[in-house]
Amino acid sequence: MRTLFASLLALVLLGAPANSQEQSSDNWITMTTDRSVQEAVGALTDAIEGAGATVMATVDHSQNAQSAGLELPATTLVIFGNPKIGTPLMQENRRVAIDLPQKILIWDEDGQTTIGYLAPEALAKRHGLATDSESIKTMTGALDKLSSAAAGEQ
């Protein structure tokens, strides 16, 4: 959280564009957008389906919190996959399936919508897979394009 706040503060102070993307030391790729969480989630699910992948679930954590009488700013997790990308990784190491299908989190952080996901290279390292494999490269490109679409950059 502290890293995210520092990143956002740096963006504001340096006058960086609202949708710039960065990778933090904890292997999270994040970007901000002027879109609302709901708008970004809609754009993301449209982009996922348009790319031929499947949206497996959309988890509205703030709605779930409300059902327990708790408050949480808009926080939505989109879970999606494409077997053509994930299956080769699982064939190499079945344990990678714990981290698949892919996930992108979109949340409101003090009025700023943030889009984030774990860098595929971190997933590869976690499971002893080659970080430069075609599947990891493809996954990296897909997550970049999808998050950019959610942010309104495409």
Side-chain angles (χ1 to χ4, degrees), residues 2 32 34 41 69 77 84 91 116-117 120 125 136 138 143:
R2 194 174 277 154
T32 59
D34 293 331
V41 168
L77 180 68
K84 290 179 183 179
Q91 288 171 332
Y117 58 90
K125 287 178 186 175
I136 293 296
T138 301
L143 288 168

Side-chain angles (χ1 to χ4, degrees), residues 57-110:
T58 301
V59 181
D60 186 335
H61 288 293
S62 40
Q63 184 178 37
N64 291 338
Q66 267 185 340
S67 73
L70 301 170
E71 291 184 23
L72 182 69
T75 305
T76 302
L77 180 68
V78 179
I79 304 168
F80 61 96
N82 182 335
K84 290 179 183 179
I85 298 171
T87 301
L89 296 172
M90 288 184 273
Q91 288 171 332
E92 191 172 340
N93 181 350
R94 196 75 49 88
R95 291 181 180 193
V96 76
I98 194 76
D99 290 318
L100 297 175
Q102 281 295 307
K103 299 157 204 73
I104 293 181
L105 182 65
I106 302 176
W107 72 98
D108 179 306
E109 186 73 37
D110 298 323

Side-chain angles (χ1 to χ4, degrees), residues 121 124 129-137:
E121 295 84 11
L129 303 171
T131 58
D132 61 349
S133 74
E134 278 308 308
S135 290
I136 293 296
K137 288 179 186 178

